[in-house]
Amino acid sequence: ICVAFLAIRWTSNFDAVYLIFATESLRGAKVLVTGSSKGIGEQMAYHYARFGAKIVITARSKDTLQKVVEKCLSLGAQEAFYIAADMSNESDLDRVVDFALKKLGGLDYLVLNHIGSTRVAMWDGDVEHAKWLMKINFFSYIQMAWKALPSLEKNKGSLVIVSSLAGKMPSPLTAPYVSTKSALNGFFGSLRHELAMKKSNVSISVCTLGLIDTETAMSKVKGKVNMPAYPATEAALNIIITGATRQPELFYPWFTYIWTLTKDWIPSFTDYVVQRSYNYNP
Ligand code: NDP
């Protein structure tokens, strides 16, 4: 029964989604992607560009954004703009959404992906850092989502939230990060119910990712974890397909879904494996 259940779940998550995904649906789509100067966000910008979307990208580093925009245009984006902004700065949040609404004439997709920098280390009691990270990784998401909602509603659009397995299953050495991702899962899970109850046009996709081979992640976990990393470009494509097909959730790579089950079904085994995936020698 378990195997059958997992097979059905796996199929519904992946194959069926790929089958119904029509790349044409993204031609001319109006997309805002945050945290898109590097890593998964940059790869998403390139995929959207290849699909012929109109995109706005944002992060703090202007020079990098400019290069990403140039590449997007060369890959086939119908339009591409950038706006430099710091997501820890409250006034930047509305400014970015307003910029995208004005440049693109509305939004079909808001892809919230950025994260603030955090250490991979034992919790050291730095509450100020946890508050700061919450501001960037969580509060900015809910403010931008709220600001974009009327336009998404008008366009039968989608909110895409890039989360992590850490938000479903706490991992050690990243307590503040885990908190921000858990908060995202909780908030947008609740908002999804509310939108459905209001018969809203807007879909919400929450994306659960395992370890992805971005430069930032690889440099942070080097020598600290024993687990495989998956390609950023593939993660990015899976996120885009999940949003375009209005799926409520993505699990990438697929076995992250199994972990979310084993944590409840066989918790002590899961704890054992998780703790042994980290190199820590007191
Ligand atoms: P990166 O560190 O590669 O990219 C982060 C992006 O956010 C950059 O564009 C960065 O640009 C931007 N950013 C950082 N700080 C700020 C800020 N204060 N204001 C505005 N923008 C900011 O991250 P990844 O690509 O690795 O991760 C992307 C998403 O995927 C995140 O939500 C992450 O939690 C999730 N994820 C990643 C995993 C992984 O292993 N890589 C695993 C699970 C989930 P700049 O510095 O120029 O501002």
Side-chain angles (χ1 to χ4, degrees):
I1 290 171
C2 279
V3 171
F5 172 73
L6 290 176
I8 291 166
R9 190 67 173 81
W10 190 83
T11 309
S12 66
N13 257 346
F14 300 96
D15 292 351
V17 167
Y18 275 101
L19 283 177
I20 56 174
F21 172 62
T23 57
E24 274 305 303
S25 70
L26 291 174
R27 187 164 302 282
K30 299 162 182 170
V31 186
L32 168 57
V33 187
T34 68
S36 35
S37 63
K38 58 182 177 182
I40 299 166
E42 178 186 3
Q43 296 305 317
M44 283 196 273
Y46 298 150
H47 285 304
Y48 277 121
R50 288 186 195 99
F51 292 134
K54 299 177 182 173
I55 52 182
V56 168
I57 61 168
T58 184
R60 288 167 306 175
S61 53
K62 201 173 163 184
D63 294 348
T64 324
L65 287 170
Q66 198 165 357
K67 285 184 190 138
V68 176
V69 155
E70 281 162 18
K71 186 161 171 191
C72 285
L73 289 168
S74 75
L75 287 171
Q78 283 191 13
E79 292 172 19
F81 306 96
Y82 72 86
I83 174 167
D86 186 340
M87 298 301 169
S88 68
N89 183 350
E90 268 173 48
S91 63
D92 277 9
L93 307 176
D94 286 358
R95 190 168 65 82
V96 169
V97 178
D98 281 334
F99 176 86
L101 292 173
K102 192 167 165 216
K103 287 285 182 192
L104 305 178
L107 275 175
D108 298 309
Y109 294 94
L110 171 59
V111 185
L112 294 167
N113 165 75
H114 61 274
I115 41 165
S117 179
T118 192
R119 285 192 316 138
V120 177
M122 288 277 164
W123 167 240
D124 59 1
D126 187 351
V127 177
E128 285 312 310
H129 172 71
K131 285 185 191 167
W132 173 84
L133 200 65
M134 203 60 150
K135 207 169 171 185
I136 298 175
N137 292 12
F138 175 67
F139 288 112
S140 70
Y141 278 51
I142 69 175
Q143 185 171 330
M144 292 178 83
W146 188 248
K147 178 84 181 163
L149 215 48
S151 180
L152 294 174
E153 184 74 52
K154 200 169 147 204
N155 295 351
K156 199 173 185 289
S158 302
L159 261 172
V160 180
I161 310 300
V162 181
S163 188
S164 164
L165 182 58
K168 296 261 188 192
M169 191 177 99
S171 48
L173 307 188
T174 48
Y177 174 77
V178 168
S179 318
T180 66
K181 293 299 185 184
S182 307
L184 284 179
N185 286 4
F187 183 91
F188 285 99
S190 177
L191 187 64
R192 187 190 295 120
H193 282 307
E194 293 181 11
L195 294 182
M197 288 157 80
K198 288 199 268 188
K199 306 222 180 308
S200 160
N201 265 334
V202 180
S203 69
I204 296 185
S205 300
V206 176
C207 303
T208 295
L209 304 183
L211 185 61
I212 308 299
D213 67 358
T214 62
E215 247 177 76
T216 310
M218 293 299 93
S219 66
K220 294 215 175 216
V221 303
K222 195 169 176 208
K224 292 181 179 163
V225 301
N226 310 311
M227 56 182 88
Y230 287 77
T233 179
E234 200 173 297
L237 183 59
N238 276 271
I239 294 167
I240 290 172
I241 293 173
T242 303
T245 51
R246 303 172 77 83
Q247 298 296 300
E249 289 201 85
L250 164 71
F251 292 91
Y252 177 86
W254 63 272
F255 61 77
T256 53
Y257 179 64
I258 310 290
W259 283 118
T260 66
L261 299 181
T262 63
K263 93 174 174 4
D264 292 330
W265 289 358
I266 32 176
S268 42
F269 168 74
T270 310
D271 287 352
Y272 176 86
V273 175
V274 168
Q275 286 161 28
R276 264 146 202 81
S277 304
Y278 290 79
N279 299 324
Y280 177 68
N281 195 358

